[in-house]
Amino acid sequence: MFVKNECSQVKPRMSPCSTAYQILCFIEDSAARLKALQEAYRILEKGGTALFSFLSFNARTSSAVYSLYLTYLRILRSSIGSKRSLQYLPWLKHGGKINRAAFLDRAPYVYWYKLEEADRLLRAVNFEVVAVGSDFQLKQGNIHKSIETLIKEPIIKEPIAGMLYFVCKK
């Protein structure tokens, strides 16, 4: 959202309840991702709420099909001496079609977050995490207050499936 101030300059501002669309995963540099979170915190009004979504590496690793693909990528990267983290995955679809280059570990890449990593980064820039869950928890109507309760509280451990969602306050 943009608000014009009295000097007729355009000034960015996030309203008291704002959505930060899932764009952090498309920023390949970790320092730039941190800077984007810092900027989101800076422009959110005091007392405001923001919703962040992240691609979930935890969900990828728990899928049998993706586990095979991740094993293949790990072997491929090791054999060519690539230092790229396994959390950087090539797009499997590009331009609405299967991206065959993904099987050769070629760009474009997207960054997949671990649950604990996303939580740590949000807290590092001073967001207060007030709710967290994945697509699974949203569909069940069972959002958790913290990653600790998401991981440990349920008697039957709930899967982390699909996107990760964090509701944060400033």
Side-chain angles (χ1 to χ4, degrees), residues 27-72:
I27 302 171
E28 285 195 38
D29 178 75
S30 62
R33 287 192 304 270
L34 179 61
K35 188 172 173 93
L37 281 174
Q38 289 168 333
E39 182 65 7
Y41 184 83
R42 185 189 70 79
I43 65 175
L44 183 65
E45 290 181 359
K46 187 174 179 160
T49 301
L51 171 64
F52 294 94
S53 65
F54 299 91
L55 295 173
S56 173
F57 190 71
N58 304 74
R60 281 290 192 231
T61 59
S62 65
S63 162
V65 172
Y66 283 106
S67 286
L68 288 172
Y69 179 63
L70 292 173
T71 300
Y72 164 76

Side-chain angles (χ1 to χ4, degrees), residues 87-125:
Q87 288 175 252
Y88 288 102
L89 297 174
W91 293 8
L92 294 176
K93 284 191 174 182
H94 188 62
K97 298 178 184 176
I98 291 176
N99 180 20
R100 292 187 182 130
F103 298 103
L104 299 173
D105 196 23
R106 295 204 179 125
Y109 293 96
V110 67
Y111 187 79
W112 294 73
Y113 282 84
K114 293 179 182 177
L115 177 64
E116 296 83 358
E117 173 187 22
D119 183 73
R120 186 179 62 253
L121 285 171
L122 290 166
R123 292 177 191 280
V125 297

Side-chain angles (χ1 to χ4, degrees), residues 5 7 9 12 35-36 40 43 60 69 73 86 89 99 104 125 128-129 132-133 138 142-143 167:
N5 68 17
C7 299
Q9 297 173 335
K35 188 172 173 93
I43 65 175
R60 281 290 192 231
Y69 179 63
L73 276 181
L86 201 54
L89 297 174
N99 180 20
L104 299 173
V125 297
E128 173 192 359
V129 175
V132 62
L138 284 179
N142 190 23
I143 299 301
V167 179

